[in-house]
Amino acid sequence: MLIPLIIDDIVSAVSEFAGDVVSLDPVLLQLTIFALLLGGVFALAALGLTMIFGVMDVVNFAHGMLIVAGMYTVYFVTTTVGINPLAALPIAVVALFALGVVISVTAIEPIIEAPEENQFIVTLGISFILLAAVQIFFTPDPRSIVMDLGRYQLFGAQIPKGQAYALAIAIVAMAALWVFLQRTELGTAIRATADNREGAWYVGIDVPNIDHITVGIGSALAGLAGAAIVIFSPFDPFIGESYLVKAFVIVVLGGLGSLPGAFVGGLIVGAIQVFGGFYLPGTTNEIVIFLLFVLLLYLKPTGLFGERRA
Amino acid sequence: MADSTSTETDVGGVLTRLDEHEYSAYIKAVLGFGLLAALPYLIEIEMAGLSLGSVLTLKILIVTLVFAFSSQAWNLISGFTGYFSFGHAAFFGIGAYATQKLAIDFGINPWFGMLVGGGVAVLLALLIGFLNFRYELKGHYFALATFAFAMLMGVVVRNTKELGGAIGYYRPFPRDYGAEYGLAAFQFQSDLPYYYVIFGFLVIVTAVAYALKESQLGLYLFAIRENEDAAASVGIPTFRYKMLAISLSAFFTAWAGAFWSMYFEIIRPETVFGLSKNVEVLLPAVVGGLGTIPGAIIGALFVFPLAEFFRANVDQIIGLDDVVYGVALVLIALVLPNGLISIRKRIREWRD
C-alpha cells in the first residue's frame, strides 16, 4: 500500500522534472545553485568523520556534537567579544582541534584496540557529555547569528551570499586538507597510518601521536563546518543529530574513509535534498536518501569511491 | 573467630556463598524479581523523614523497566552473538505504531495488536538479517545498516498521513474509541497496573533469555560471538541461528513499543524511531554487562533513575541527565568494559 504510493510520487516527480528540463525552466538553475551550496557544506560536515575512520577505523558518533560545538564557539566569541562571525572562524578551528586532541588522548586511545562496540560506546558517551555541556552553558534555546549579506544575481537566479561564503570556506578547507595530506611530511605519515597501521609503526611513525592529530583535525573540520553553517542558518544544541546522520549517509555513499568520496557524497545528498524537496511531496526526499544509503551499504559497502584511504 | 563470622555475614560473603549454591541463579532471580515487584511499595516507605519516593517516582520505574525489558531483548542478538545492532528502534517503533493503529482505527485489542506488531517486526528482522548476514556486514557496517533501517522507518512513518505524519499518533481515552479499562484492554487509570504489566514482560523475556543461554542454541550463539569462522567450520549453521536470534530479539522489542504506545498518550516518529531510542534500548545491557542475563536489568536500574534524579532535582541546570548517560557510557567502556556486573570481580581482583 505504502510502496506503490511512494513509487507513484517518484514517477510523477521524475516526469515533472523531465518536463522542466525539456522546457529549460529557470527554476532548474536556481535548484542547481542551491544544491551546490548545500552539498559543499554537507561535504565539509562529513569530512572529519571520514578522515578519522580512514586513519583509525573508528566511527565517531560524537561528530555531530563537534559540529554543534563549532557553532557555539563562534556564537560565544561573536556575542562576548563582539566580532564578526567570519572572524571567529579560526578560533573555532583551533578550539575544536584542542578538544579533539583531548578526546583522543583521554577516551579514544585507551580503547583503540578494543572491539568496535566499545569505540561506539565511548564516542556516543562523549557526544552526550558535549550535548549536556552545550545545554548547561548556553541553554537549549535556539540561537541565531545569521548574517544579512544580501545575494548575488546570476541569469535571474539568486545566490545567497551567506551560503556562498560557506561554500567557499568548505572548498578552501578541502583543498587545504588535500595539499596538507599530499605534500607535507605529517600528511604523508597520516596517509601511511591509514594505509597500514602496523607498517607505520615499523617505519618509525608514532602512531598514537598520528591518531591524536587525526582526531584533532577531524574535530577541527567539524568545528569549521559548524562555523560555516551559522553564517546562514539558526541552530540549537540538538541539531547535531541531523548533521551526524547526514554525515553517515555521505561517507557511506562516498566510501567510509575516502576524502573525495565525502565531497561527492555531500553533493549527492545536497542534490537529493534540494531537488527532492522541490519535486517530491513532504519530506519524501529523506526516504530516497536513506534508501540509497541502505542499498549502497549492501551492494557496494566500500562506497562509490571504493578505496579506503584518507 | 569473630573475624570469620563478620566476613561470613557481610553482603559480599553472602553473595559468594550464594554463588556456590546449586540453584544460585534461581535463588538470585527470585530475590531480584521479588525486590522489583515490591519496589512500587518500597519507594513509599519513609525512613527518618526520607523516602525513595522523593527521588523516584512510579513513572520513572515504569520507563526503567521498559528499557530493562527492551535491552534484554536487544541482548538476544547483540549481546549473545556480538552483532551490535544500532537500529532496534525500528522494531520498537513498529510495535508502538502497529498496536496503536490497530486499536484506535480498527478497534482491535492491543494485546493482539502487540502480537501483530511483533510479527511485523520479525518480518523486518528477517529482511534486515537476511541482507546483513548474506552480505556479511560486520562491526561498523552492521551497526550502520541497522541504524539506516531505523532511520528509514522513521522517515517513512513521518511521510505517512495515515500514521499521523510528523505530528504523531494520538491515543484518546479508551471510552472515546470504544474500549474499556482493565487488563484485557491494556488500559489502566493508574500507573501501578502498568508497572506490573511491564514487570511481567520483563520476567518473560528474562526467562526466555536464560533458557536460550543455557540451551545448546545459546552455546552456538556465543560461539559465533567468540569466533564465527571457527563456529562455521565445525558445522554450526551460523546463518540460521543468527536469523533466529535477531527475529526473537525483534519480536520482544516490538512488545516494548506496544507497551510504550499504550502507556503514553502520543507517539511520534522521532521519539519511537529516533537515534535516542536506539541508544536507550542498548544502554542498559551495555552498562550492566553485554550478554549477561542480569546485566540489562542492573544497567537500567542504574542509568535511568540516576538520569531522572538529575533531571528532576537539579532543574536549574538543564542537560545534567545527559551527563549521566555520557559519563556512564565512557566510564563503562574505559574502566569496566564488561559492565557493572563485573564490578564484584574487579573489586576482588583489587583486594587480592
Side-chain angles (χ1 to χ4, degrees), chain B residues 142-164:
Chain B
F142 185 87
L144 282 178
T146 48
F147 177 64
F149 268 104
M151 298 306 293
L152 189 57
M153 293 297 302
V155 291
V156 167
V157 169
R158 201 185 317 149
N159 283 283
T160 309
K161 276 192 211 73
E162 290 78 13
L163 295 173

Side-chain angles (χ1 to χ4, degrees), chain A residues 161-275:
Chain A
K161 277 191 188 172
Q163 268 177 283
Y165 287 173
L167 177 66
I169 291 164
I171 290 172
V172 169
M174 283 184 261
L177 181 69
W178 189 250
V179 171
F180 165 73
L181 288 174
Q182 298 295 332
R183 293 289 151 85
T184 64
E185 207 168 308
L186 188 56
T188 312
I190 291 175
R191 283 188 298 130
T193 311
D195 260 356
N196 185 341
R197 286 179 79 80
E198 228 163 273
W201 269 112
Y202 290 137
V203 297
I205 293 172
D206 183 354
V207 171
N209 206 20
I210 294 293
D211 285 348
H212 301 326
I213 293 168
T214 304
V215 179
I217 294 175
S219 307
L221 287 167
L224 183 63
I229 290 164
V230 295
I231 300 172
F232 65 87
S233 169
F235 54 99
D236 62 52
F238 312 103
I239 206 170
E241 186 178 321
S242 80
Y243 280 102
L244 176 69
V245 171
K246 286 218 177 69
F248 276 155
V249 176
I250 289 164
V251 299
V252 167
L253 282 180
L256 264 168
S258 160
L259 295 188
F263 182 68
V264 175
L267 292 182
I268 293 173
V269 171
I272 296 176
Q273 184 144 330
V274 170
F275 282 90

Side-chain angles (χ1 to χ4, degrees), chain A residues 2 53 57 59 61 107 116-117 120-122 125 128 132 135-136 241 248 256 283-284 286 290 293-294 297-298 301, chain B residues 84 86 131-132 135 137 140-141 143 145 147-149 151 155-156 158-159 275 286 317-319 322-323 326 329 333:
Chain A
L2 189 66
F53 183 86
D57 242 15
V59 175
F61 273 87
E116 285 108 353
E117 64 255 26
F120 249 72
I121 291 159
V122 159
F128 279 123
Q135 286 185 73
I136 289 166
E241 186 178 321
F248 276 155
L256 264 168
T283 48
T284 318
E286 290 179 32
F290 283 110
F293 181 50
V294 171
L297 261 175
Y298 294 121
Chain B
F84 201 95
F86 198 61
L131 289 169
N132 281 6
Y135 288 96
L137 296 193
H140 306 305
Y141 290 98
F147 177 64
F149 268 104
M151 298 306 293
V155 291
V156 167
R158 201 185 317 149
N159 283 283
L275 179 73
V286 167
I317 304 176
I318 298 159
D322 290 319
V323 178
L329 284 170

